[in-house]
């Protein structure tokens, strides 16, 4: 399927902007800090470029839509950011990031993404006037050098993906990028739903 048109990129930007408010609010409540998430930057990339800008270990969080929409999202988070958010959730000051990434961190970030994507799904349901529900997040630490693992993160075999990059600022602790990826065909379908031409 072809890459996105300018109009589709604008639609995805509008959808993302609406969803970001709820995501930032939910994250702020979880970590008890002010959270700002920027206007997203949207582009279409090849599969091989998905990990550009990441070093060492990052964390993939895979969330699928199970009602209303049919698609698969993957968030890419930096290891330090995951540790910082986990420490804040546990009542710390967010500086306990020197430890090894472990199952506790992965469980915590799964809950973070479940809450954030839940807020996003609620926003989408309102926008699209349909029930939208998500799966439980699946979390995987990824060695950036082991790019082959990435090949199994999507059900789609397509090589082209939509990359939505957000600047996430958590008061005094994190100023980083969070990336959301999904297949181009899902983006086409989402735009059709938003414009009222998709099948509900």
């Amino acid at each position: 399927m072809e890459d996105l048109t300018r109009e589709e990129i604008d639609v995805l930007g509008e959808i993302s902007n609406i969803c970001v408010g709820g995501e930032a609010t939910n994250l702020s409540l979880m970590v008890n800090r002010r959270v700002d998430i920027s206007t997203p930057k949207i582009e279409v990339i090849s599969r091989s470029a998905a990990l550009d800008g990441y070093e060492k270990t990052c964390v993939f969080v895979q969330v699928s839509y199970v009602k209303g929409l049919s698609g698969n999202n993957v968030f890419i988070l930096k290891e330090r950011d995951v540790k910082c958010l986990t420490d804040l959730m546990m009542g710390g000051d967010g500086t306990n990031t020197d430890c090894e990434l472990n199952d506790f961190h992965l469980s915590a970030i799964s809950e973070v993404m479940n809450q954030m994507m839940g807020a996003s799904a609620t926003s989408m349901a309102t926008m699209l006037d349909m029930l939208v529900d998500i799966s439980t997040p699946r979390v995987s630490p990824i060695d950036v050098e082991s790019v082959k693992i990435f090949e199994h993160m999507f059900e789609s075999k397509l090589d082209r993906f939509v990359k939505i990059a957000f600047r996430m600022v958590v008061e005094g602790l994190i100023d980083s990028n969070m990336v959301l990826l999904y297949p181009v065909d899902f983006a086409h379908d989402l735009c059709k739903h938003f414009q009222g031409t998709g099948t509900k």
Side-chain angles (χ1 to χ4, degrees), residues 18 34 41 47 51 55 62 73 78 87 91 106 147 150 158-160 188-189 192:
I18 292 171
R34 180 188 170 112
K41 177 182 177 183
R47 186 189 296 266
L51 295 178
E55 300 177 352
Q62 184 175 354
N73 305 268
K78 294 180 179 179
D87 190 39
L106 301 182
V147 179
F150 177 64
L158 297 177
D159 183 59
R160 307 290 286 171
H188 286 300
D189 290 342
K192 288 177 183 178

Side-chain angles (χ1 to χ4, degrees), residues 1 20 37 71 121 124 158 186:
M1 193 172 285
V20 156
I37 301 179
M124 282 192 176
L158 297 177
F186 172 72

